[in-house]
Amino acid sequence: MAFQKAVKGTILVGGGALASVLGLSQFAHYRRKQVNLAYVQAAECVSEPVNREPPSREAQLLSLQNTAEFDILVIGGGATGCGCALDAVTRGLKTALVERDDFSSGTSSRSTKLIHGGVRYLQKAIMKLDIEQYRMVKEALHERANLLEIAPHLSAPLPIMLPVYKWWQLPYYWVGIKLYDLVAGSNCLKSSYVLSKSRALEHFPMLQKDKLVGAIVYYDGQHNDARMNLAIALTAARYGAATANYMEVVSLLKKTDPHTGKERVSGARCKDVLTGQEFDVRAKCVINATGPFTDTVRKMDDKNAAAICQPSAGVHIVMPGYYSPESMGLLDPATSDGRVIFFLPWQKMTIAGTTDTPTDITHHPIPSEEDINFILNEVRNYLSCDVEVRRGDVLAAWSGIRPLVTDPKSADTQSISRNHVVDISESGLITIAGGKWTTYRSMAEDTINAAIKTHNLKAGPSRTVGLFLQGGKDWSPTLYIRLVQDYGLESEVAQHLAATYGDKAFEVAKMASVTGKRWPIVGVRLVSEFPYIEAEVKYGIKEYACTAVDMISRRTRLAFLNVQAAEEALPRIVELMGRELNWDDYKKEEELETARKFLYYEMGYKSRSEQLTDRSEISLLPSDIDRYKKRFHKFDADQKGFITIVDVQRVLESINVQMDENTLHEILNEVDLNKNGQVELNEFLQLMSAIQKGRVSGSRLAILMKTAEENLDRRVPIPVDRSCGGLYKCMC
């Protein structure tokens, strides 16, 4: 591909970042010429979308209710389900899709954010002479190239470093990675290369130096997974598919085939989760693409169906961006228990994961403290001793359920299938299960091919290779500059909008509120340290967002980047959504409570907050206790044994610092363990002890009190923004 000749430096996720590495003309050439002629021919066979914009959810519900019979009904709004809907509708089939929660609310939004062929799968294929694994890698590498092409705003190549600590491993890993390039063939993003020890440390300065021999760098893709899933769903809707989130399948409909006398699946009874309304959606073919819930739908069809899904939990954590270079990931090929850990830059933060443990199927998976600490320990093994890896630096954590499957048609029903499985029941229900994010398109193609053959549907071949997803067609690496110039947005915000919405970013910019400042002219941020703006909330509703959780986790990615920031943004998000959706006060409170529970349990806030509890041990030297008591009493001038907002305001006023009362309340509430509206001396000592141990970081109260102590005479303003895990020494 042209990319092999064009790339001249390291690359990080997002089209704008890639453009900064390549020359702009080279970058444009790469993006438009990357795919071969077959891609172009496939795209030309597809007519233009029937809708300039995706229809509203209300319009989609009417379509579901009023259409006598669809050709295809897809159950499941993850990457595979939405891929099936897009594949079907672009072949000219009358298509519907229903999802009981939000698009990408399950596994598809909780991935490692990689678009990859699978280096470890290739290793297994070679070691075990496994042709199935080899084909899976080959297919994934082809799909990787296609996905980078059709959604250039949401994805980009990413160099990943494999550090080597034993001389004999250098040629061993080099051969394996070169084979990975070879299998990719014309789809190879950029040729892998070897780095000396000094060069490896230059690229990844926080790497463990001792016994480091060198490193090998190879390339895979990275993307914004939830936004990618949503782009697939929105594209399907624009091409005419009737897609609806928050539509639960209550039961499958069946009718007797007049030719065979057998019962055939003929649709589904659906329930609008938001209103409780139920109605039937009829279809010639029903596709089960429900990921971990595959067996739930299979048993609706046949209560005696054997379970084929063997769920596995994968936990990831997010840490501050300074833990990794902006443009280089890290692969730990052999952890202490034989698993693989990735350590990757993403959205200016650092992702580490994943684990792989058997789990029960649930709609609300929770990351365990054990898995979080396992990942942290593995990270410590690869980072320099100069970098203290602290539990308190975990800004968010999540667990995704990977739906591993056994092939029901295989003689060995206990064997896990390494690839995806398309199963057709006696009543005609088609199930697609297994596989991986990268291969969603080919999985969808295989599924629709099976549907056409089984149900005698009239349609041509798949047309999704090379078909641009929502926002990708007219995106360019300089698009963000036009946003800055035409609308007066901050450069960081403009880059974020371009990398999130592609050529639809202008529609978001048009909705942006005036800031009232000299600069930026428009674009009021939801939280100060992230580029998300209020206009995205309004636009997110056009993208079928129905709840506050949809907004903080999948329209924006705040919940996946920093749970505290997401919680701070919630009241404003709920207020904005309430205006657009006519929520009353009761509904707003309900949304706030539901979203806070989501952050607390599913996004790691519970694990984070439990690092500081009323049972936390105080392990401080006597000299430290005396020092912290003196600091505390500068605020507790009346020797009450506790401090309140009034005490903090008094000290701040004495040094001419003004601070919003709501901000002060938030700061004290982070440390107020018994939630009585005041911070007691014991709570303050527990906080300082947790900070010293690295279990807590970024405490605004600790920073405020230390800075105030130092500057009572100098009258220096006190910073109170979240430090995103700043060095704890500055708080002690």
Side-chain angles (χ1 to χ4, degrees):
M1 291 189 181
F3 184 80
Q4 292 174 288
K5 299 178 181 178
V7 175
K8 295 187 178 179
T10 55
I11 302 156
L12 63 115
V13 70
L18 180 56
S20 67
V21 179
L22 304 177
L24 293 182
S25 61
Q26 288 179 311
F27 180 84
H29 175 74
Y30 158 62
R31 281 299 191 192
R32 301 308 174 199
K33 301 297 183 181
Q34 181 184 12
V35 290
N36 57 31
L37 184 61
Y39 283 20
V40 177
Q41 290 173 338
E44 287 174 350
C45 294
V46 183
S47 60
E48 288 297 310
V50 296
N51 303 303
R52 186 176 180 274
E53 298 296 332
S56 68
R57 183 173 183 273
E58 290 72 22
Q60 297 285 45
L61 292 178
L62 286 173
S63 180
L64 288 171
Q65 285 179 274
N66 298 332
T67 302
E69 185 180 50
F70 289 95
D71 294 318
I72 299 281
L73 169 61
V74 181
I75 306 172
T80 303
C82 291
C84 287
L86 180 58
D87 190 284
V89 75
T90 52
R91 297 195 200 201
L93 295 170
K94 194 179 296 183
T95 306
L97 179 146
V98 292
E99 160 60 46
R100 72 171 299 279
D101 204 304
D102 186 27
F103 300 115
S104 196
S105 58
T107 308
S108 295
S109 64
R110 306 178 190 221
S111 72
T112 314
K113 322 303 180 195
L114 283 177
I115 310 170
H116 63 131
V119 173
R120 66 184 185 277
Y121 296 127
L122 181 61
Q123 180 189 29
K124 292 177 182 177
I126 294 169
M127 293 295 188
K128 298 181 180 180
L129 300 177
D130 189 330
I131 190 65
E132 182 186 350
Q133 292 241 34
Y134 171 79
R135 287 172 179 162
M136 182 180 71
V137 174
K138 183 80 173 174
E139 176 186 60
L141 290 170
H142 173 268
E143 293 301 322
R144 179 187 69 178
N146 182 62
L147 195 50
L148 289 168
E149 169 66 16
I150 64 177
H153 57 303
L154 292 170
S155 62
L158 175 75
I160 299 175
M161 179 183 291
L162 198 162
V164 179
Y165 288 90
K166 296 178 181 178
W167 280 107
W168 68 266
Q169 290 179 333
L170 200 59
Y172 174 77
Y173 286 135
W174 181 82
V175 169
I177 294 298
K178 279 300 175 186
L179 283 173
Y180 192 60
D181 292 347
L182 186 63
V183 172
S186 62
N187 293 319
C188 181
L189 301 180
K190 185 183 179 183
S191 185
S192 58
Y193 54 91
V194 177
L195 290 174
S196 66
K197 177 179 178 178
S198 60
R199 290 285 289 166
L201 292 171
E202 191 177 310
H203 283 282
F204 210 117
M206 54 285 291
L207 200 61
Q208 173 64 259
K209 305 174 187 177
D210 296 343
K211 298 181 181 179
L212 181 67
V213 172
I216 300 169
V217 176
Y218 73 98
Y219 284 76
D220 257 326
Q222 191 179 45
H223 69 152
N224 187 336
D225 54 1
R227 292 294 316 183
M228 185 74 80
N229 193 157
L230 185 62
I232 302 167
L234 293 170
T235 306
R238 288 182 62 211
Y239 274 91
T243 60
N245 53 353
Y246 294 99
M247 286 296 296
E248 180 179 8
V249 170
V250 178
S251 61
L252 295 177
L253 305 177
K254 290 189 176 183
K255 66 180 181 181
T256 303
D257 188 326
H259 301 293
T260 63
K262 294 181 179 180
E263 279 197 329
R264 305 286 286 177
V265 173
S266 59
R269 180 73 175 175
C270 297
K271 176 183 177 181
D272 187 337
V273 176
L274 303 179
T275 65
Q277 180 188 14
E278 291 190 15
F279 54 86
D280 293 339
V281 179
R282 300 196 173 275
K284 296 172 185 175
C285 172
V286 176
I287 294 172
N288 172 18
T290 53
F293 304 97
T294 292
D295 290 324
T296 303
V297 178
R298 292 180 77 246
K299 289 181 184 296
M300 285 183 186
D301 174 37
D302 177 4
K303 63 182 180 181
N304 297 316
I308 63 171
C309 186
Q310 298 190 18
S312 173
V315 171
H316 295 80
I317 64 174
V318 169
M319 305 177 78
Y322 57 68
Y323 271 95
S324 66
E326 289 185 354
S327 58
M328 183 74 74
L330 184 75
L331 169 64
D332 177 356
T335 62
S336 55
D337 65 352
R339 289 182 280 193
V340 171
I341 290 284
F342 286 98
F343 194 60
L344 310 167
W346 185 70
Q347 302 282 309
K348 298 188 177 179
M349 295 294 183
T350 301
I351 286 182
T354 180
T355 59
D356 186 9
T357 53
T359 187
D360 295 327
I361 295 175
T362 173
H363 290 288
H364 307 288
I366 299 172
S368 71
E369 187 63 24
E370 181 183 357
D371 283 333
I372 291 171
N373 284 321
F374 167 79
I375 295 171
L376 287 173
N377 287 333
E378 293 303 322
V379 169
R380 288 187 186 102
N381 292 337
Y382 272 87
L383 294 190
S384 167
C385 58
D386 296 335
V387 180
E388 184 176 3
V389 180
R390 301 174 296 164
R391 175 61 182 82
D393 284 342
V394 177
L395 305 176
W398 66 85
S399 175
I401 300 178
R402 185 184 178 201
L404 304 175
V405 293
T406 57
D407 188 346
K409 299 293 190 291
S410 172
D412 181 8
T413 57
Q414 299 302 309
S415 176
I416 297 289
S417 175
R418 303 174 186 89
N419 214 327
H420 62 269
V421 171
V422 178
D423 178 59
I424 305 166
S425 73
E426 290 187 6
S427 61
L429 174 70
I430 295 181
T431 295
I432 171 67
K436 54 195 290 187
W437 222 121
T438 306
T439 58
Y440 85 90
R441 193 213 61 82
S442 62
M443 291 167 64
E445 180 180 345
D446 290 347
T447 305
I448 302 305
N449 285 343
I452 292 169
K453 181 178 180 181
T454 303
H455 295 274
N456 298 314
L457 304 176
K458 297 187 183 302
S462 175
R463 297 169 177 175
T464 52
V465 172
L467 180 70
F468 281 105
L469 299 182
Q470 169 102 339
K473 186 175 182 181
D474 294 320
W475 175 89
S476 75
T478 58
L479 186 146
Y480 81 94
I481 297 175
R482 290 174 55 198
L483 291 171
V484 174
Q485 294 175 336
D486 294 352
Y487 295 94
L489 288 162
E490 292 176 79
S491 181
E492 183 187 12
V493 170
Q495 288 177 357
H496 153 69
L497 294 181
T500 302
Y501 304 96
D503 57 32
K504 300 297 179 183
F506 296 100
E507 296 179 20
V508 184
K510 289 174 185 176
M511 296 180 175
S513 303
V514 176
T515 64
K517 302 175 183 177
R518 184 181 63 80
W519 188 264
I521 299 171
V522 300
V524 178
R525 294 193 182 210
L526 290 169
V527 282
S528 60
E529 65 266 48
F530 289 95
Y532 299 108
I533 60 174
E534 291 182 355
E536 292 181 78
V537 178
K538 299 175 187 177
Y539 191 77
I541 293 171
K542 293 179 64 176
E543 296 181 320
Y544 306 129
C546 299
T547 70
V549 172
D550 297 345
M551 204 63 72
I552 61 174
S553 58
R554 293 174 286 275
R555 300 314 180 276
T556 72
R557 305 310 307 273
L558 265 177
F560 283 80
L561 296 171
N562 190 313
V563 287
Q564 282 186 288
E567 186 183 42
E568 285 181 25
L570 267 177
R572 183 58 178 160
I573 288 173
V574 169
E575 182 184 346
L576 291 167
M577 292 188 75
R579 287 181 197 168
E580 299 294 319
L581 299 173
N582 298 315
W583 289 346
D584 58 21
D585 290 342
Y586 176 81
K587 176 62 175 175
K588 290 178 184 177
E589 282 301 317
E590 183 181 54
E591 285 293 323
L592 277 171
E593 183 62 24
T594 301
R596 284 170 178 152
K597 283 183 179 178
F598 169 78
L599 292 173
Y600 188 72
Y601 291 105
E602 295 185 51
M603 298 310 299
Y605 211 155
K606 180 175 185 289
S607 294
R608 181 179 174 86
S609 63
E610 285 178 348
Q611 301 308 306
L612 181 64
T613 70
D614 54 7
R615 297 182 299 278
S616 296
E617 179 185 357
I618 298 175
S619 300
L620 294 169
L621 295 172
S623 58
D624 287 334
I625 292 177
D626 290 340
R627 178 159 56 96
Y628 296 141
K629 280 184 176 180
K630 288 178 182 177
R631 184 177 303 171
F632 186 85
H633 290 314
K634 287 184 183 295
F635 286 77
D636 181 22
D638 301 329
Q639 302 292 304
K640 305 182 299 295
F642 61 85
I643 59 175
T644 64
I645 288 177
V646 174
D647 296 316
V648 177
Q649 283 177 326
R650 175 182 52 77
V651 173
L652 295 180
E653 286 172 3
S654 73
I655 56 175
N656 300 320
V657 173
Q658 298 295 320
M659 194 174 299
D660 178 71
E661 188 172 329
N662 289 332
T663 302
L664 279 177
H665 177 75
E666 289 174 2
I667 291 172
L668 264 67
N669 193 53
E670 291 172 4
V671 186
D672 180 13
L673 302 177
N674 54 16
K675 304 305 176 188
N676 61 356
Q678 56 197 35
V679 175
E680 293 150 10
L681 175 60
N682 198 57
E683 290 174 326
F684 180 66
L685 294 177
Q686 286 173 319
L687 169 66
M688 301 314 295
S689 178
I691 288 171
Q692 280 203 2
K693 291 179 179 178
R695 293 201 306 265
V696 171
S697 65
S699 170
R700 292 186 286 176
L701 181 66
I703 296 170
L704 184 150
M705 292 179 71
K706 179 178 185 293
T707 312
E709 181 185 50
E710 293 175 345
N711 297 288
L712 278 169
D713 296 325
R714 289 183 290 168
R715 307 293 192 265
V716 175
I718 300 172
V720 294
D721 287 341
R722 269 183 306 278
S723 68
C724 289
L727 293 175
Y728 78 83
K729 293 177 182 177
C730 74
M731 295 184 281
C732 299

